[in-house]
Amino acid sequence: VVMTGCLKVAKNSIFTGVNNAITNSVLDTQIQFSSIIGFNKQETVKLLNDYGLTKYLPLVRNNYDGYKFFHDDIFCPWDVLNFVAKNYLHVQNRTEQYIRAENFWNNSTSSNALKGYVNYLSSNVNTQLQDLVDGKNIEVAVNDAMNYDDLRWHHPEDFFSLLIHTGYLTCLGFTPDGKYLLRIPNKEILECFKKNIQDNFDDTVVSGHENKAVKIAASFLNGDAETAENELSLLLQSYISIRDFASKSKKENLYQGFLSGILANCGSFISEYRSNSEAGDGYLDFSFKDQNGKFACVMEIKYCPKSAQMENEMQQAMTQINSKRYAQNLIDDLSVKSVLAYALVFSGKYCRIKKQKLK
């Protein structure tokens, strides 16, 4: 009898009906079992060849390969079979322009167990998750003997074990001190990883009795730069950025996306929200009004690699707002009673804010 599942079978029952069971997880080193729960390269090549899809091996490898079970490189069998089933007729019908590597994995998994960890993760774990999204390997301790009962304790080693056993991560090997070397296996899983990270961040921003996004927006509109600064810095400690490393975008874009994600969760609390829009003699980063359109804010974001220079960067950002007249239309608008300018400077996980009243 062969039984499969996400986590290791817990052999702690009072019953004796199942004895001498051999457990083999994705972290085990029993070579006779390492490739029976996936397709190795030879099996994948044969399957693609049988259906006339051989030349799409690089596409399949980039999206569905990357798992390492002991000495075997493994393709996700669910993805490979779905790719073939969806695309082999395009070869026969000469419509190969429609062949693409869809994300089959995302619809077959649930992230509910992962979301249960969101409020329990330390800043160190968030840093490790950031490294994974950035394409790096991480070294972590893993609880290989965990089961579903362990999830309620929210231990970091259980979290990474859950990521491994549910397919978000794969193990490349072991370190001399007994830790595991982990990475995100392929493009498809990276896409799922990013989506769930963004969903979890959105949940964090609006969860609980207090909508943090609304609190931050209200702080800006009320001229309370200190509260906005503190709340943004706290969120940055738990934020995992979703960066596009294929582009050579500016560092400010990362933090612009961070703030945009917050303001997008304000619902109907703010109005006339604008981002990267033409204003005055240039393009402002952000502007918005309160729900009644009487109070307005304009913002300029800067990135500072050295925290000691943040004060100077704030002054430059404020000078830019004034010299380029980003708020001129709001100042001239007789229906707007107050216009506040904010210079936001980010350095790593920290934020500093400078305020100036323009109207």
Side-chain angles (χ1 to χ4, degrees):
V1 175
V2 175
M3 294 192 302
T4 64
C6 284
L7 300 181
K8 181 177 286 189
V9 176
K11 296 182 292 182
N12 56 359
S13 172
I14 61 173
F15 301 105
T16 59
V18 180
N19 288 325
N20 303 315
I22 298 173
T23 61
N24 184 79
S25 78
V26 295
L27 298 173
D28 279 318
T29 57
Q30 301 178 71
I31 195 168
Q32 68 271 34
F33 299 127
S34 59
S35 68
I36 65 172
I37 56 174
F39 293 164
N40 59 30
K41 181 179 178 181
Q42 291 74 22
E43 292 166 335
T44 303
V45 169
K46 183 180 186 306
L47 181 62
L48 295 175
N49 183 62
D50 288 346
Y51 287 88
L53 294 164
T54 302
K55 70 178 182 180
Y56 296 100
L57 176 62
L59 181 65
V60 171
R61 181 189 295 117
N62 289 336
N63 285 274
Y64 310 131
D65 189 14
Y67 291 100
K68 189 81 173 179
F69 298 165
F70 194 32
H71 288 319
D72 287 300
D73 294 318
I74 298 296
F75 292 72
C76 177
W78 170 256
D79 290 320
V80 175
L81 288 175
N82 274 283
F83 176 84
V84 172
K86 290 274 289 189
N87 293 306
Y88 82 96
L89 286 177
H90 285 311
V91 175
Q92 297 182 11
N93 297 330
R94 297 183 179 181
T95 54
E96 293 185 53
Q97 67 270 24
Y98 296 106
I99 292 179
R100 60 191 183 94
E102 296 182 27
N103 192 321
F104 302 108
W105 194 86
N106 195 43
N107 293 328
S108 68
T109 185
S110 172
S111 62
N112 290 335
L114 301 180
K115 289 183 178 180
Y117 275 87
V118 171
N119 294 323
Y120 295 90
L121 300 181
S122 66
S123 59
N124 182 55
V125 173
N126 284 318
T127 298
Q128 291 171 315
L129 291 175
Q130 181 68 69
D131 287 340
L132 288 168
V133 172
D134 291 348
K136 301 176 182 177
N137 302 330
I138 63 170
E139 296 180 5
V140 298
V142 169
N143 178 12
D144 188 26
M146 74 169 292
N147 55 56
Y148 279 104
D149 290 336
D150 296 327
L151 298 181
R152 69 181 186 274
W153 301 111
H154 302 105
H155 295 309
E157 58 267 28
D158 292 341
F159 176 64
F160 283 109
S161 184
L162 183 64
L163 290 177
I164 295 169
H165 288 293
T166 53
Y168 279 97
L169 301 178
T170 191
C171 178
L172 303 180
F174 313 95
T175 64
D177 58 352
K179 293 184 177 180
Y180 292 79
L181 185 63
L182 309 179
R183 75 173 180 196
I184 295 176
N186 53 50
K187 290 175 63 176
E188 180 190 50
I189 303 303
L190 178 59
E191 180 181 317
C192 298
F193 210 95
K194 289 178 176 180
K195 179 183 182 300
N196 288 326
I197 285 174
Q198 187 62 60
D199 288 346
N200 290 341
F201 174 69
D202 290 343
D203 289 345
T204 301
V205 169
V206 300
S207 64
H209 299 292
E210 181 180 55
N211 186 317
K212 295 179 182 179
V214 168
K215 183 177 182 180
I216 290 170
S219 299
F220 282 124
L221 289 168
N222 295 331
D224 189 355
E226 183 177 358
T227 296
E229 183 178 286
N230 291 338
E231 292 296 326
L232 286 173
S233 293
L234 286 173
L235 280 177
L236 277 169
Q237 303 306 311
S238 61
Y239 178 62
I240 301 163
S241 64
I242 299 175
R243 295 186 278 223
D244 182 6
F245 281 84
S247 66
K248 296 181 180 180
S249 57
K250 298 186 298 181
K251 294 286 188 179
E252 288 87 14
N253 291 1
L254 161 64
Y255 297 102
Q256 196 157 359
F258 164 72
L259 190 57
S260 179
I262 293 172
L263 295 176
N265 282 285
C266 288
S268 59
F269 183 79
I270 63 175
S271 65
E272 297 186 41
Y273 168 70
R274 300 167 64 194
S275 175
N276 281 325
S277 60
E278 189 173 357
D281 300 324
Y283 291 84
L284 57 78
D285 285 336
F286 291 103
S287 71
F288 59 89
K289 298 179 181 179
D290 72 323
Q291 194 172 10
N292 296 320
K294 295 181 179 180
F295 300 89
C297 300
V298 294
M299 301 177 184
E300 176 64 25
I301 292 177
K302 296 291 185 185
Y303 164 74
C304 184
K306 297 181 180 179
S307 57
Q309 299 175 357
M310 294 178 76
E311 183 66 34
N312 182 54
E313 288 292 333
M314 282 192 292
Q315 186 57 52
Q316 290 187 33
M318 191 61 71
T319 299
Q320 181 176 333
I321 291 174
N322 288 299
S323 64
K324 291 186 177 292
R325 304 184 306 116
Y326 287 156
Q328 194 60 51
N329 287 341
L330 294 170
I331 294 173
D332 296 339
D333 189 341
L334 297 179
S335 66
V336 178
K337 292 185 176 181
S338 170
V339 179
L340 295 172
Y342 290 96
L344 288 80
V345 176
F346 294 91
S347 181
K349 294 289 185 178
Y350 298 99
C351 172
R352 295 292 180 266
I353 300 176
K354 186 179 185 68
K355 178 187 73 174
Q356 180 181 343
K357 186 172 181 61
L358 302 180
K359 180 180 179 180

